[in-house]
Amino acid sequence: MNMYKYTFLLVVGLLISSTSWSAIHRVNIHPNTTALYQDFQSAVDAAFDGDTIYLEANSQFISETFFATYSATIDIPLVVFGPGYLIADNKPGYNVVDEALCSTINLGPGAAGTTLRGLSINDLQVNSDFAQIDHNFISQLELNNVLGYDIEQNLISSPNPADIPLLLNNSNNGNVSFNIIAHESPQAPGQYVVFQNLSSGTDFNHNVMANGFVVAEASLFHNCIFVDLTFEDFDLCNFNNDIFVTGAPVATDFDAEGNPNDQMQILLGSNVQTEIDPSLLFAGNVTLDGQYETYPGSFADGVADDGTNIGPFNFGGYGLSGQSDFPFVTNLFIAENTEFSYLLPVTYSAVIDSGTDIIIEGEYFVDNDPGFGGGVPVTLTPGNTVDGFFGANIATTLTGAHVIGFRVRTQSGLWSGTEETTFVVDPIPPLPSLASISYVISDVAGSADFATANILDNQDGGSDLGFFTITYDLSGYAPGLYYLSVRAKDEFGVEGTTYVTPMLVLEDQEELPTLSAFEYFVDVDPGYGEGNPILLSGAEDLFDSDVQFELTGVPPGQHTIYLRAKDSNGAYGVTQQQDIYVVTDQFSILDQNNDCVIDILDLLAFLGDYGCIDDGTNNCSADVNSDGATDILDILTFLMFYGADCQGTFGLVPGQESSTFTE
């Protein structure tokens, strides 16, 4: 008995352990939003460890009285997504999107492992280990007492000379890769771009640093470009595959234009290039980040230690914007100054910047957000960039102003944030009632004379819908092709469009034969009349019913069953076929719900029959070994075959299964 209890609890434990989940919280500042939260901090306070928060764009509301930036203090591990930012000059074919503007975000010690992505942040304070900061636009990023961090594919740039774009205080062993870290213009001494204070072990890889001064300690700089930059202190730093643009003096003996080393120990790797003319390096884009994109054939082309280009422009050709490996909707449009009654025409576009994931579907909702996966499906052409049109069903939506929301999902299951816009439903004028229809039969297309038409009145008076049965008297028509023309008229005498369809009048024919029998066979055709017969009880010209196929003697495995009909004249019809899979009696018992797979649903059925004893009046449906009881031996047999499938279409069992057909 104890062993039985142990086995049961183990199975249940496995079921419970697979039900963990995390919630998604939407934040939108618009007062009429369908999002649950209008401020960032409220969503954070309601979240649990590992939850996801979508900060939806607020920059488009900057002139509105309700406008507010997002800010929050986070002290639990969360995933926070924003809509990103895109500079279309550097990503041809992509739309510029609205941003989630954040004033201050503070990651407390309890927020270890938090991810921030696709946000525009004025001041980001990180006081927790292992933060993932990527695809953001940040004015000032400060790390304090942090062990382990990942800062990738960000634009970290401040217009204020007093700000330090990247400040590391007692923060060690991190990764800073594929970023632009810069002031917007060259700065005077004392204006820092990167400052490491009691911090070491940082891997600076594939970055551009520009317009200021750097203090660094015991860190690796490789595959980086330095523009109008001065290293003020870089004790025990290692430089490898870096480019110093003209005007970036470095106090080392490898820079002929720089000052003496000043007793600081540095380690020089290979391919360190100095005093490179910027016109021989950069492509010439003038946007805030695009100005640092290198052109093919330049000094940076293909010479990084990983075989790519020196600098940050490597991911998919452009890796710096908020365009990240999660999807977001970049456009949701409804024609302005237009009112609708039945279908709402909506155009959209969405993107994901990923080499392994694509957008595969969308969904919309009106007014009330049913949650991710609960909206009305929108079919689209899968890809990294999707755009299209759909008609939202608003036939039952009340008149007045409403909100429509749209989002997309990727192949890996990631949902985008929800883009919303408003529309107005126009009052629907009452439709006139249908008065009658009229029809004419003519022998020339388009020659119908409705002055002599046959008229049928609508028997459902006052209705805008009518059902008509027309019985045609064709006794005076010679065999040949004719045309039936029909049109309707409403209560005000307005006639609708004329519907025309061809009609073929034939000679009277002999009575058609009826069905007399069927025969079937498996795999090999024995010849007409030699199959297994299925006799019919009476003369019929249509048979639609279930029949039983006898499969005794057919071995388990893949087979093909064939069926053909015979009429009252003895003629056979076309032979139809269907692939089947024959399984053993044991498999039939294990597969309790007969879905061809031995899975968790069958296990639940087994557990429901557990303890059954066949006393002559009670049939134990899960008695696999036919010992008169459903017990632990049957459960063990089930577990041996768990996950098996019959690899077929129907899973027919010898002598037990039927198939439905129409002839």
Side-chain angles (χ1 to χ4, degrees):
M1 182 63 69
N2 289 336
M3 182 174 69
Y4 298 164
K5 290 183 178 179
Y6 176 78
T7 302
F8 177 77
L9 291 175
L10 174 63
V11 173
V12 173
L14 291 173
L15 292 175
I16 294 174
S17 67
S18 65
T19 59
S20 60
W21 58 280
S22 60
I24 299 177
H25 309 275
R26 289 180 52 206
V27 185
N28 193 310
I29 68 168
H30 198 286
N32 295 328
T33 181
T34 64
L36 186 58
Y37 304 100
Q38 286 185 261
D39 69 277
F40 188 9
Q41 189 65 59
S42 295
V44 170
D45 294 342
F48 292 92
D49 290 12
D51 281 1
T52 296
I53 295 177
Y54 281 116
L55 292 184
E56 297 176 2
N58 59 357
S59 62
Q60 70 271 37
F61 306 126
I62 199 166
S63 62
E64 303 289 343
T65 56
F66 60 82
F67 172 76
T69 57
Y70 295 118
S71 63
T73 296
I74 302 173
D75 212 28
I76 60 173
L78 295 174
V79 176
V80 182
F81 286 163
Y85 67 94
L86 283 173
I87 300 176
D89 184 40
N90 296 319
K91 194 73 169 179
Y94 281 53
N95 295 321
V96 178
V97 301
D98 294 315
E99 303 172 52
L101 302 177
C102 306
S103 52
T104 302
I105 298 178
N106 186 351
L107 300 185
T114 289
T115 294
L116 300 180
R117 181 173 296 163
L119 308 172
S120 295
I121 311 170
N122 183 60
D123 182 16
L124 175 56
Q125 301 285 320
V126 179
N127 304 283
S128 56
D129 298 337
F130 307 114
Q132 172 77 34
I133 313 296
D134 64 87
H135 297 87
N136 302 284
F137 184 5
I138 307 171
S139 295
Q140 189 171 9
L141 172 56
E142 181 176 336
L143 281 72
N144 299 295
N145 305 308
V146 173
L147 178 62
Y149 47 89
D150 198 359
I151 303 171
E152 292 191 26
Q153 294 179 260
N154 302 280
L155 173 58
I156 308 173
S157 178
S158 174
N160 184 0
D163 290 341
I164 301 176
L166 180 58
L167 175 59
L168 306 175
N169 289 318
N170 193 29
S171 296
N172 305 293
N173 301 331
N175 169 51
V176 180
S177 300
F178 293 94
N179 304 280
I180 290 178
I181 311 170
H183 284 292
E184 291 186 4
S185 59
Q187 301 298 315
Q191 307 299 325
Y192 295 100
V193 173
V194 176
F195 196 103
Q196 287 183 274
N197 178 34
L198 300 177
S199 303
S200 62
T202 301
D203 182 0
F204 291 93
N205 184 23
H206 281 288
N207 300 286
V208 163
M209 298 181 184
N211 299 330
F213 288 70
V214 173
V215 170
E217 302 171 350
S219 294
L220 170 63
F221 293 86
H222 57 131
N223 308 313
C224 294
I225 300 175
F226 307 113
V227 182
D228 289 322
L229 196 77
T230 300
F231 278 85
E232 193 174 274
D233 188 0
F234 46 91
D235 198 18
L236 295 177
C237 289
N238 187 336
F239 293 85
N240 188 37
N241 285 70
D242 298 308
I243 296 177
F244 291 82
V245 175
T246 302
V250 182
T252 69
D253 53 7
F254 64 82
D255 181 2
E257 301 296 323
N259 297 317
N261 194 330
D262 195 23
Q263 300 180 348
M264 289 184 294
Q265 181 183 1
I266 63 174
L267 304 174
L268 299 182
S270 61
N271 197 32
V272 175
Q273 304 180 61
T274 64
E275 298 300 320
I276 299 300
D277 188 333
S279 66
L280 303 177
L281 185 64
F282 298 122
N285 294 326
V286 296
T287 52
L288 187 60
D289 50 358
Q291 61 185 312
Y292 300 117
E293 183 175 7
T294 58
Y295 70 87
S298 70
F299 284 90
D301 191 12
V303 295
D305 54 25
D306 57 7
T308 61
N309 299 342
I310 292 177
F313 289 85
N314 282 293
F315 282 111
Y318 183 58
L320 289 174
S321 73
Q323 181 71 4
S324 178
D325 55 357
F326 70 99
F328 58 88
V329 178
T330 59
N331 179 54
L332 186 68
F333 177 75
I334 298 170
E336 296 182 0
N337 302 320
T338 307
E339 295 182 335
F340 308 95
S341 299
Y342 296 102
L343 283 179
L344 182 71
V346 182
T347 56
Y348 65 88
S349 58
V351 294
I352 182 173
D353 198 7
S354 171
T356 59
D357 206 1
I358 58 173
I359 297 170
I360 61 170
E361 66 177 350
E363 68 175 25
Y364 76 88
F365 60 87
V366 175
D367 292 336
N368 298 314
D369 188 346
F372 291 84
V376 181
V378 174
T379 302
L380 48 79
T381 301
N384 293 110
T385 303
V386 297
D387 54 67
F389 166 89
F390 66 89
N393 184 357
I394 57 171
T396 60
T397 305
L398 299 177
T399 58
H402 297 272
V403 174
I404 185 170
F406 176 73
R407 53 194 169 227
V408 295
R409 188 178 72 87
T410 70
Q411 193 170 43
S412 67
L414 290 175
W415 282 102
S416 72
T418 304
E419 187 74 6
E420 294 181 342
T421 190
T422 59
F423 65 95
V424 175
V425 174
D426 188 27
I428 303 174
L431 294 175
S433 60
L434 179 63
S436 64
I437 65 167
S438 54
Y439 69 92
V440 175
I441 298 175
S442 58
D443 56 1
V444 179
S447 66
D449 181 7
F450 276 87
T452 60
N454 300 281
I455 300 176
L456 297 176
D457 292 330
N458 183 13
Q459 300 302 313
D460 300 319
S463 172
D464 58 4
L465 179 66
F467 296 92
F468 299 85
T469 300
I470 303 176
T471 301
Y472 305 110
D473 182 6
L474 302 177
S475 58
Y477 290 83
L481 180 64
Y482 295 86
Y483 296 90
L484 173 67
S485 301
V486 183
R487 66 188 180 200
K489 182 165 61 175
D490 67 20
E491 60 180 313
F492 302 112
V494 177
E495 292 185 310
T497 303
T498 301
Y499 173 79
V500 181
T501 185
M503 181 174 63
L504 185 62
V505 176
L506 301 176
E507 295 276 4
D508 291 337
Q509 298 186 5
E510 297 180 0
E511 184 177 353
L512 294 174
T514 59
L515 292 171
S516 63
F518 293 91
E519 68 175 18
Y520 70 92
F521 55 89
V522 178
D523 294 337
V524 178
D525 190 342
Y528 289 99
E530 301 299 324
N532 299 300
I534 301 175
L535 301 178
L536 301 181
S537 59
E540 302 178 59
D541 56 7
L542 176 66
F543 180 84
D544 186 357
S545 181
D546 289 344
V547 296
Q548 199 81 7
F549 293 110
E550 177 62 47
L551 298 178
T552 302
V554 179
Q558 183 77 43
H559 297 277
T560 303
I561 192 167
Y562 298 85
L563 178 72
R564 57 193 171 216
K566 184 172 70 171
D567 67 17
S568 55
N569 296 329
Y572 283 92
V574 177
T575 302
Q576 305 292 331
Q577 69 183 65
Q578 174 66 59
D579 292 333
I580 63 172
Y581 202 93
V582 177
V583 300
T584 64
D585 290 334
Q586 184 185 59
F587 189 97
S588 176
I589 296 175
L590 293 172
D591 185 15
Q592 287 279 301
N593 60 357
N594 198 30
D595 64 353
C596 265
V597 180
I598 300 176
D599 53 18
I600 191 65
L601 297 177
D602 303 306
L603 175 59
L604 295 176
F606 259 73
L607 294 177
D609 197 53
Y610 187 80
C612 170
I613 297 177
D614 190 351
D615 57 3
T617 60
N618 185 26
N619 180 31
C620 300
S621 65
D623 182 13
V624 182
N625 58 4
S626 301
D627 63 356
T630 301
D631 52 23
I632 188 62
L633 297 177
D634 301 301
I635 295 293
L636 293 176
T637 302
F638 177 89
L639 295 176
M640 290 175 59
F641 289 93
Y642 185 82
D645 65 80
C646 63
Q647 303 178 2
T649 307
F650 295 102
L652 299 181
V653 180
Q656 294 185 16
E657 189 59 55
S658 63
S659 180
T660 300
F661 60 90
T662 300
E663 182 70 28

